[in-house]
Amino acid sequence: MDKILIIGAGGQIGVELTLALRQVYGRNNVIATDIREEHPLLKEDNGPFRHLDVMDFKEVAKMVAQENITQVYLLAAILSATGESKPVWAWDINMQSLLNVLEICRENKVKKFYWPSSIAAFGPNTPKQDTPQHTIIEPVTVYGISKYAGELWCRYYFQRYGLDIRSLRYPGLISWKSAPGGGTTDYAIDIYIEALKKKQFTCFLSEDTYLPMMYMNDAIRGTIELMEAPAEQIKNRMAYNLSAMSFSPKEIAAAIRKHIPDFTIDYAPDYRQQIAASWPQSIDDSEARADWGWQHEFDMDKITIDMLANLKKKLAL
Ligand code: NAD
Ligand code: AKB
């Protein structure tokens, strides 16, 4: 039986991924870890949770060996917006965490390793529309540079040591269960919360800023499908482009207005506008679709219905 370690399980993706993996592998076979306190939804689920700092090589190595871990998911990272405020610190955490875990996986002969990349790996010289899998990369944020360097390290460990590493370039992820952690695409979550609470939202991106986006339900299913796919189908050992939809703040506001007609939005672009402007507007993910059968389910209208219904309950509005 596989035994899974999730590092950074208390974040936006980690909480939902932990719960989904526990459905597949059994609650006690998925150990959630973070430097934060256990998230309430994980507490409620009552599976194993441990405090673990990914920068502490010895403690991570001890846990992998003592728990006979066969799969590791590394989700701890500093995201794009937070990363720009402390670039050297963000680089240190994003790169050292990955190098620590790659080494520990190699030494302990871990069977599979998952580490997410991002559309942030691309830069301003990348073709903006239908960005291909293989193209000009040249990221300009510290977060993006760490993602691209990380992809290369992952392929290195696959080629040199045979570590079964799998990765996805997620677009901006929209979800309601666990709060986002300091990204440029976080506006697409805050907008729903503010629409419900105040019927007004001030967006830190300009109205026509198109970015690739995806609902968390699709991202979690895609991640598990990638990890379950037979190894010979995984032809890309850096990170697969993954896509669902693209929209601008103006378009998401219009989708919300179908449910909250008096919702208003204004725009006060800040430093995050420059980050968003350096990223693709839409992604070509045909390799993921061809190699392991990726398909998304949620479009913007379906997301809007689900987000508003769930946040209304969660926020008791
Ligand atoms: P998040 O910030 O919500 O969660 C990261 C978690 O890591 C947090 O719970 C944090 O406490 C934990 N963490 C930070 N430092 C740690 C340390 N030293 N040791 C252990 N845990 C630590 O981020 P997320 O949105 O869940 O992202 C997870 C991964 O997915 C990251 O690699 C991110 O770059 C990538 N990603 C996310 C998105 C998105 O839209 N959420 C998009 C593309 C890629
Ligand atoms: C961010 O905005 O930093 C993340 C991402 C797209 O990687 N959501």
Side-chain angles (χ1 to χ4, degrees):
M1 178 47 102
D2 273 296
K3 189 111 187 250
I4 298 178
L5 176 66
I6 306 186
I7 302 171
Q12 190 198 357
I13 299 175
V15 169
E16 297 205 37
L17 188 59
T18 301
L19 296 174
L21 284 168
R22 284 182 178 160
Q23 293 288 321
V24 180
Y25 290 92
R27 185 176 286 123
N28 290 328
N29 293 320
V30 180
I31 304 178
T33 70
D34 206 294
I35 46 170
R36 289 187 194 173
E37 270 194 23
E38 188 174 15
H39 189 280
L41 289 177
L42 296 183
K43 233 179 212 164
E44 209 175 277
D45 191 52
N46 216 14
F49 177 84
R50 312 272 164 74
H51 181 275
L52 185 68
D53 183 347
V54 69
M55 303 299 272
D56 187 338
F57 186 97
K58 274 194 188 154
E59 280 303 309
V60 180
K62 197 163 105 190
M63 187 163 301
V64 168
Q66 284 183 349
E67 296 287 346
N68 296 313
I69 296 296
T70 60
Q71 293 190 31
V72 177
Y73 288 70
L74 171 57
L75 304 175
I78 306 304
L79 275 74
S80 60
T82 310
E84 288 311 291
S85 62
K86 287 191 196 165
V88 175
W89 168 75
W91 174 260
D92 188 37
I93 296 200
N94 289 358
M95 293 316 300
Q96 199 54 54
S97 61
L98 177 60
L99 291 172
N100 283 355
V101 177
L102 284 169
E103 259 313 272
I104 291 164
C105 287
R106 180 184 73 77
E107 284 173 357
N108 288 275
K109 298 191 170 35
V110 163
K111 282 200 322 213
K112 282 186 200 168
F113 172 55
Y114 181 76
W115 171 84
S117 185
S118 161
I119 53 161
F122 297 113
N125 294 328
T126 302
K128 289 240 170 282
Q129 305 296 341
D130 290 329
T131 301
Q133 179 72 48
H134 306 281
T135 184
I136 298 165
I137 301 282
E138 300 179 25
V140 291
T141 61
V142 67
Y143 175 65
I145 301 170
S146 74
K147 286 300 180 193
Y148 189 50
E151 289 185 16
L152 292 165
W153 272 110
C154 285
R155 186 174 64 182
Y156 182 87
Y157 267 73
F158 170 73
Q159 289 178 336
R160 173 124 194 224
Y161 304 115
L163 178 62
D164 187 351
I165 151 90
R166 304 179 183 203
S167 179
L168 298 170
R169 288 175 182 152
Y170 291 131
L173 299 181
I174 301 174
S175 67
W176 56 272
K177 287 188 185 165
S178 179
T184 304
T185 56
D186 294 5
Y187 92 84
I189 297 168
D190 299 342
I191 193 171
Y192 288 108
I193 297 172
E194 297 305 307
L196 284 165
K197 281 188 177 166
K198 299 190 196 137
K199 298 186 180 184
Q200 199 283 330
F201 180 62
T202 301
C203 187
F204 58 73
L205 298 182
S206 63
E207 62 178 7
D208 289 322
T209 308
Y210 279 85
L211 286 171
M213 297 280 186
M214 180 179 291
Y215 205 38
M216 187 63 84
N217 303 34
D218 277 337
I220 298 294
R221 183 179 45 76
T223 304
I224 295 176
E225 284 172 7
L226 172 80
M227 289 299 276
E228 305 269 285
E232 61 275 13
Q233 284 180 16
I234 309 302
K235 298 186 182 122
N236 179 341
R237 295 299 182 153
M238 286 182 64
Y240 278 99
N241 281 6
L242 199 73
S243 170
M245 77 203 84
S246 287
F247 56 72
S248 64
K250 193 163 129 188
E251 287 177 352
I252 191 174
I256 291 173
R257 235 175 261 119
K258 289 183 196 166
H259 305 273
I260 306 175
D262 49 349
F263 171 61
T264 60
I265 182 165
D266 56 23
Y267 302 92
D270 63 16
Y271 69 100
R272 290 167 281 195
Q273 181 65 40
Q274 217 180 335
I275 300 177
S278 77
W279 291 351
Q281 294 184 351
S282 62
I283 297 285
D284 174 353
D285 61 356
S286 46
E287 289 198 12
R289 290 177 192 262
D291 287 0
W292 49 276
W294 160 247
Q295 283 185 339
H296 70 279
E297 281 173 14
F298 283 79
D299 61 16
M300 194 171 59
D301 284 333
K302 215 168 151 188
I303 291 178
T304 300
I305 291 168
D306 209 57
M307 284 291 283
L308 291 175
N310 282 301
L311 282 171
K312 214 169 173 175
K313 268 190 246 153
K314 184 178 171 184
L315 304 171
L317 293 167

